[in-house]
Amino acid sequence: VAFIGESGAGKSTLAAAFCARGALLVADDALVVDFTGAGVDAWPTADGLRLWHDMAASISGSVAIGAWRHEKYRVPAKLATGPAPLRRILLVGDTSDRGARTEVLSQADARIAMLPHLFRLDIADVDESRRLFDDMPRLAERVPARRLAYPDGVAYLDGAVDAVMADLRYEP
């Protein structure tokens, strides 16, 4: 599962909640994907999670390890050691007062949601930008995208994880 969203939307916090349930961390801040056959694989790039102090303490249940940039702390997580199929892309950042829920995004809406989050090594490289832009429809076609909304606060993370897990069990 890949989380996309604005800075501060809770992507790393959600990843930590999944890791607390036994999931392996593949990436934090940058996800490398590879088109394979009819699917998409995600390649590991993470060396741990980086969380704000209050989230690090409440999720890890222990003291976070060393300060990182801008008061974030590095929290250990069990890391993936090889590529894995990418099954969902989740747009994070909406809050809900009705509990956690996922909503299907159309392929067009998924492409629009993903575009601002593309990472380009060289923003002046027109060919790389064109290739990334051209890959968006293939990615949206191969990996279902959802909008994830849940109430704000660490107390609601379990509900968000439950909603995503329920969605993963449902394969249209």
Side-chain angles (χ1 to χ4, degrees), residues 18-75:
F18 273 87
C19 290
R21 290 209 192 170
L24 300 177
L25 181 65
V26 175
D28 188 28
D29 289 333
L31 179 66
V32 175
V33 297
D34 185 26
F35 293 96
T36 58
V40 176
D41 280 351
W43 283 82
T45 60
D47 63 352
L49 285 163
R50 288 158 184 88
L51 300 172
W52 295 110
H53 185 267
D54 57 342
M55 288 295 128
S58 43
I59 290 176
S60 70
S62 63
V63 177
I65 300 172
W68 194 61
R69 292 186 284 172
H70 311 294
E71 300 301 318
K72 281 193 172 184
Y73 290 78
R74 186 164 181 261
V75 176

Side-chain angles (χ1 to χ4, degrees), residues 85-158:
L86 182 58
R87 294 187 51 211
R88 288 289 188 278
I89 296 169
L90 291 158
L91 178 60
V92 179
D94 290 346
T95 58
S96 165
D97 57 0
R98 299 180 301 166
R101 68 184 190 289
T102 61
E103 299 171 359
V104 174
L105 287 176
S106 69
Q107 289 182 17
D109 288 341
R111 289 193 306 266
I112 291 167
M114 287 186 278
L115 280 172
H117 305 288
L118 292 176
F119 180 79
R120 292 175 291 280
L121 294 175
D122 179 0
I123 61 171
D125 185 336
V126 175
D127 292 333
E128 179 185 22
S129 294
R130 182 177 295 116
R131 180 187 56 79
L132 289 170
F133 186 81
D134 290 345
D135 281 346
M136 285 300 96
R138 286 196 316 161
L139 184 58
E141 179 181 290
R142 294 178 183 206
V143 182
R146 306 285 191 263
R147 181 178 317 278
L148 173 63
Y150 61 97
D152 194 21
V154 71
Y156 299 101
L157 283 173
D158 279 340

